[in-house]
Amino acid sequence: MSIRVVARIRPQNPDELGRDAVVSTDSKTGSSDRPALIKIPNPKNESEDFTFQFTSVYDASATQQQVFDNEVSPIVKHLFNGFDITIFAYGATNAGKTHTMRGGKTLAERGVIPRLLSAIYRRARKIDKESEGRTTVEIALSYYEIYNDKVFDLFEAPEKRTMAGLPLRDNGGKTVVVGLTERPCESLKDFERLYDQANINRSTSATKLNAASSRSHAILGIKLTISTESEARVSTASAIDLAGSEDNRRTENGKERMVESASINKSLFALAKCVEAISTNCSRIPYRESKMTRILSLGQNKGLTVMILNLAPTRLNHLDTLSSLNFANRTKRIEVREIENEAVFKAPPRSIPSVAGSSIQRQPLRPLASTVHNAATLHASTSGQRHNDKQIKAFHVYSDKARHSSMAARPFHGDSVRRMSPLKRPMTSDPFQSSSSRPPKTRSPKGFLSRPQATMSKEAIEDMVEKKVADILAARAFNQPSVAPQPEISEEVQRRLELLEQKIDSKNDGKEQGLTFLLMAKQHGVRGEDASALRMYDLAKNYFPDNKKLDYKITRLRQKLQERRQQPLPNGMGRSQFPSKASETTSRQESIKLKDDNEGEYQDEAPENDPDASVRRKAKKNRAGPRTVRALMAEEESESSQTPRTMQLLRIVNTRDIEQIKLLKGVGAKKAEAIVEGLCAQERDEEGETAVVHNLGQLGRLRGVGVKTVENIRSGFLSTLEMK
């Protein structure tokens, strides 16, 4: 049987009066029954109408009683016959779903859920009356909501909820909520009290389209247990009030309402995907994409399903109404297998055997000869034997210590009555005692318990272990398969292999050593050590004798060294002298160039065909910057050793002019303010003395500056001077 789809058009709200109504009802052609068709114009072509046919259609004039009597009341009897039923309301926001399911407070405005419970209680009382109390009907309620894709129990207060909600589990093909509260409900008054209290805990909020919009999907579970003398049957009715899809452009939701709306639309989209997959006979149905679809399980719930489609009539909801109609048109094609729940048969009560039954064999009674009230008679009959004969004991007490012989020869005092325990056997033979008495135990020989046990020596244990290990190894060797002998290699093949190994070793050794020399020559060339590079190239020449490129490099290096020896140095300086600080003040460009070349050698321009020239120039440029600034920060501790560039840089910083300081490279407005604040803080620490930065080290130690910032400031200041 397919899902029954019932369409209901709500009446217009007071603020919607006077607007166009685009949804209308119609009956089938040639039929005078109630309407079964819904007509709605095409949004793109007003002259064209879309027509949808459903099981029943109710216009705005239909009452709550009509909808319940025609659609819900006929399936209540199936609930008592052991079938599960599901009733859910679907539609866009502000379409009347909650009004249809819950209704109002008056008797005429009651919705589907209160009327369903009223019908269940009436039928339960009727069954109880007809069976004269032999059939009982028990009703239990569970009520929960799915809010932001989390399950919460509505019978519990919101402050007792956990953030993660209640988990879902699969049990026998059905999805159950773990930890859900079930409340027994004896009468309709109990239901109204529980239902009203739980609805207060449900998440609702006001939007632009609805003053009391539902922000969650609410599921009411009604568990019906019908018990007779021989069996019990459980069936379930589920009444679901789904939240409506929302267009946030029309509802004007805030941040929190937007999150709720996204969760609602996501779950409804998952439900639409499930319906689409079922209608197209897909192999996989995405029930687990949402907790709502997992609980609803359209097409998998083996019971009767009724869908109440709620529609808004105005043109403002035209697109939402058309989307709901398309969804309902696909849902009505879903086939559901209606399977009756199995009854649980009660076993007959087990008979408990009675102690006084006739089948129990009772033991014969024996006289208590050793009790206190018979002790005097026993003493009178046996007094003659106690003085002459030694008593035979009926039991022995074993201990590690030997018993003294004086205890056995203790005299008997006849003038006093000896009190004996009623649990012990009499010490003398009793004429009333049964002949099948237990014979006395014999005492173990003296010293039996203290006799040492035989033990194995250490050598014997070691021999036994070695023998056991040898047996295990022999068994493993016997079980292992024999290894096939390797074929022998001929002398000619062995000789060729040895020659090949020698050739490979000699070739690798030569190339490896030669490549090492070439790498060292490259490193010396990058650092500008041409003489050392030439020596490394000469050593590598022995391993690459026919390499023309290597010959060209050696020739160029020799020419370069020869030209450098013949060219005189500027200012008449010797080759062992380094540039001084005074020369930097007279000629700034020459001092900067000489300072970058720490080795004091003149670097001639390399030819275009020299492959090492670009690498050497790049390495020299990268090597000179940061290391020189750090050295200056360590060396320029006094003002006499500072360069004019450093002095000008410190004068700009000491002016405390933020506009001038932030123009330096790497210094913005925030860092300039930090430098000035650091100087002011230093003045406060020195109790009013003017704080002045004397060297680069003090500048780097200011708060918010650091070594890297000093390097950027100095390099930027250098580029500014070169441009001037």
Side-chain angles (χ1 to χ4, degrees):
M1 183 178 178
S2 60
I3 296 177
R4 292 172 54 87
V5 178
V6 179
R8 185 183 185 187
I9 304 173
R10 69 163 174 83
Q12 293 184 352
N13 295 329
D15 56 345
E16 294 176 347
L17 296 176
R19 297 184 182 180
D20 289 342
V22 295
V23 183
S24 60
T25 62
D26 193 5
S27 59
K28 296 182 181 179
T29 304
S31 175
S32 60
D33 297 336
R34 61 175 180 265
L37 300 178
I38 292 287
K39 290 186 177 182
I40 185 172
N42 186 355
K44 298 180 180 179
N45 186 7
E46 293 291 338
S47 61
E48 180 185 1
D49 289 340
F50 292 140
T51 303
F52 298 89
Q53 180 179 349
F54 301 110
T55 305
S56 300
V57 173
Y58 296 91
D59 56 10
S61 61
T63 61
Q64 299 274 52
Q65 186 67 35
Q66 291 177 353
V67 175
F68 178 80
D69 291 342
N70 296 332
E71 308 301 334
V72 182
S73 182
I75 65 175
V76 175
K77 61 182 180 180
H78 297 288
L79 179 65
F80 283 85
N81 292 333
F83 292 93
D84 294 338
I85 64 174
T86 302
I87 306 167
F88 70 97
Y90 183 88
T93 184
N94 197 28
K97 300 181 296 300
T98 304
H99 177 76
T100 300
M101 298 301 292
R102 188 193 305 179
K105 292 295 183 180
T106 62
L107 188 63
E109 293 296 326
R110 288 191 308 166
V112 170
I113 293 176
R115 294 177 187 272
L116 175 63
L117 266 296
S118 179
I120 290 174
Y121 281 113
R122 283 198 306 269
R123 195 172 187 87
R125 288 194 297 268
K126 181 180 178 182
I127 291 174
D128 186 37
K129 183 178 180 180
E130 291 177 351
S131 64
E132 297 180 356
R134 292 188 299 271
T135 302
T136 60
V137 180
E138 297 178 358
I139 300 172
L141 299 179
S142 61
Y143 197 22
Y144 58 96
E145 68 173 355
I146 304 175
Y147 177 72
N148 287 343
D149 207 32
K150 297 176 184 179
V151 180
F152 298 106
D153 192 352
L154 291 177
F155 283 146
E156 291 185 354
E159 57 269 12
K160 295 183 180 180
R161 297 178 179 177
T162 59
M163 296 297 294
L166 301 177
L168 301 182
R169 297 289 184 270
D170 293 331
N171 183 17
K174 296 182 180 180
T175 302
V176 296
V177 182
V178 180
L180 188 63
T181 304
E182 280 192 357
R183 299 288 180 87
C185 193
E186 301 293 338
S187 62
L188 190 60
K189 290 184 178 180
D190 293 343
F191 161 74
E192 292 176 354
R193 176 179 55 83
L194 292 173
Y195 190 60
D196 292 342
Q197 182 63 33
N199 284 326
I200 296 175
N201 298 332
R202 187 181 176 187
S203 301
T204 58
S205 180
T207 63
K208 186 179 179 180
L209 299 180
N210 193 352
S213 176
S214 300
R215 315 309 297 168
S216 65
H217 309 295
I219 299 97
L220 175 66
I222 306 168
K223 182 179 179 182
L224 198 69
T225 306
I226 305 174
S227 303
T228 61
E229 296 177 354
S230 60
E231 65 179 18
R233 191 188 302 271
V234 178
S235 54
T236 305
S238 300
I240 304 173
D241 180 16
L242 297 179
S245 58
E246 294 183 350
D247 186 356
N248 293 316
R249 295 171 297 182
R250 294 170 52 208
T251 56
E252 297 182 0
N253 291 328
K255 181 178 180 181
E256 185 177 358
R257 302 287 87 79
M258 287 277 284
V259 175
E260 297 169 351
S261 176
S263 178
I264 293 170
N265 292 338
K266 179 182 176 183
S267 60
L268 293 176
F269 179 68
L271 179 61
K273 289 172 62 178
C274 293
V275 172
E276 182 68 23
I278 295 172
S279 60
T280 56
N281 296 324
C282 290
S283 58
R284 179 185 176 274
I285 302 173
Y287 287 116
R288 292 182 175 270
E289 291 189 3
S290 173
K291 291 186 178 179
M292 186 266 289
T293 56
R294 189 175 174 185
I295 292 173
L296 188 58
S297 298
L298 284 180
Q300 285 190 343
N301 49 349
K302 301 177 177 60
L304 288 84
T305 304
V306 177
M307 172 183 171
I308 302 177
L309 176 63
N310 292 269
L311 303 173
T314 58
R315 188 178 296 275
L316 182 65
N317 306 98
H318 192 174
L319 296 178
D320 293 338
T321 302
L322 185 59
S323 177
S324 300
L325 288 169
N326 289 324
F327 173 81
N329 194 42
R330 292 192 300 268
T331 304
K332 71 178 183 180
R333 302 191 186 101
I334 298 176
E335 296 290 336
V336 180
R337 296 177 58 189
E338 301 170 0
I339 299 177
E340 183 180 355
N341 294 323
E342 296 181 357
V344 179
F345 293 94
K346 298 180 180 179
R350 298 176 58 183
S351 59
I352 302 174
S354 176
V355 178
S358 59
S359 62
I360 297 178
Q361 299 292 334
R362 300 186 65 179
Q363 297 181 358
L365 298 177
R366 291 188 299 175
L368 298 176
S370 59
T371 55
V372 176
H373 65 275
N374 293 329
T377 307
L378 180 63
H379 169 67
S381 62
T382 59
S383 59
Q385 298 179 1
R386 287 182 179 175
H387 290 284
N388 300 326
D389 301 333
K390 184 178 179 181
Q391 298 179 3
I392 300 174
K393 293 185 178 181
F395 63 92
H396 294 275
V397 178
Y398 296 96
S399 64
D400 295 337
K401 297 181 180 180
R403 296 174 64 88
H404 298 286
S405 59
S406 59
M407 297 179 63
R410 184 177 297 173
F412 180 79
H413 301 279
D415 54 348
S416 61
V417 179
R418 185 177 179 180
R419 301 178 66 88
M420 301 176 62
S421 173
L423 301 178
K424 294 184 178 180
R425 295 179 183 273
M427 299 179 65
T428 58
S429 60
D430 191 357
F432 299 100
Q433 189 175 5
S434 175
S435 60
S436 62
S437 62
R438 185 172 57 184
K441 295 181 180 179
T442 58
R443 186 176 181 180
S444 301
K446 185 177 181 181
F448 176 75
L449 296 176
S450 60
R451 184 189 307 170
Q453 300 291 333
T455 57
M456 297 179 64
S457 62
K458 183 178 180 181
E459 292 78 6
I461 295 175
E462 292 178 354
D463 294 341
M464 184 176 64
V465 172
E466 290 179 359
K467 184 178 179 182
K468 192 69 175 178
V469 172
D471 294 342
I472 294 173
L473 293 177
R476 289 182 180 178
F478 180 76
N479 294 329
Q480 288 180 354
S482 59
V483 181
Q486 298 291 337
E488 296 183 358
I489 302 175
S490 62
E491 295 181 358
E492 183 179 359
V493 175
Q494 185 69 27
R495 182 173 55 81
R496 288 182 180 179
L497 291 175
E498 292 177 356
L499 291 176
L500 184 60
E501 290 178 358
Q502 292 177 4
K503 185 177 180 180
I504 291 174
D505 294 340
S506 61
K507 185 176 180 180
N508 287 343
D509 293 342
K511 279 192 175 182
E512 183 178 358
Q513 189 66 26
L515 291 174
T516 303
F517 287 138
L518 286 176
L519 179 61
M520 295 173 64
K522 286 278 187 180
Q523 294 175 353
H524 287 300
V526 169
R527 292 195 295 265
E529 301 170 355
D530 294 338
S532 300
L534 181 60
R535 286 195 297 270
M536 293 297 105
Y537 280 132
D538 289 337
L539 292 174
K541 179 66 176 176
N542 299 328
Y543 298 95
F544 305 99
D546 299 330
N547 195 323
K548 296 181 180 180
K549 186 177 181 180
L550 183 60
D551 295 340
Y552 175 76
K553 288 184 179 181
I554 293 173
T555 304
R556 292 299 302 166
L557 277 176
R558 287 176 178 171
Q559 292 177 0
K560 188 184 298 184
L561 291 175
Q562 186 67 24
E563 292 175 358
R564 188 177 297 173
R565 293 191 189 98
Q566 294 177 0
Q567 186 175 359
L569 293 176
N571 297 331
M573 293 190 303
R575 294 191 176 274
S576 61
Q577 295 178 353
F578 292 93
S580 61
K581 299 293 181 180
S583 62
E584 185 177 7
T585 58
T586 57
S587 179
R588 184 177 294 111
Q589 298 294 333
E590 294 181 2
S591 64
I592 292 173
K593 184 175 181 179
L594 291 175
K595 190 171 183 60
D596 290 340
D597 191 1
N598 292 331
E599 295 181 358
E601 297 178 352
Y602 175 76
Q603 183 64 39
D604 192 9
E605 184 178 359
E608 295 180 358
N609 54 1
D610 189 358
D612 297 334
S614 61
V615 178
R616 183 162 58 251
R617 285 195 297 267
K618 184 177 181 180
K620 278 183 172 294
K621 182 178 180 180
N622 292 338
R623 188 174 59 87
R627 187 168 55 195
T628 306
V629 175
R630 287 190 176 93
L632 282 175
M633 291 178 65
E635 293 175 1
E636 294 180 354
E637 295 295 337
S638 61
E639 297 182 1
S640 59
S641 61
Q642 292 178 356
T643 61
R645 176 176 52 189
T646 303
M647 296 171 61
Q648 179 65 18
L649 176 62
L650 296 178
R651 276 197 299 271
I652 295 175
V653 173
N654 289 326
T655 57
R656 303 187 185 184
D657 188 357
I658 296 178
E659 298 298 330
Q660 293 185 16
I661 296 174
K662 73 178 183 181
L663 295 177
L664 298 174
K665 181 181 178 181
V667 180
K670 291 185 178 180
K671 191 160 290 186
E673 293 177 359
I675 293 174
V676 175
E677 290 179 0
L679 292 174
C680 296
Q682 189 174 357
E683 286 184 358
R684 290 194 295 269
D685 295 339
E686 295 176 359
E687 298 181 355
E689 296 183 3
T690 304
V692 179
V693 179
H694 298 284
N695 49 50
L696 296 179
Q698 293 182 2
L699 179 61
R701 285 190 290 270
L702 288 177
R703 185 178 62 182
V705 182
V707 178
K708 188 67 177 178
T709 305
V710 175
E711 293 177 1
N712 294 335
I713 294 173
R714 191 172 183 277
S715 61
F717 199 69
L718 174 61
S719 61
T720 304
L721 292 177
E722 289 177 352
M723 291 174 63
K724 292 179 180 180

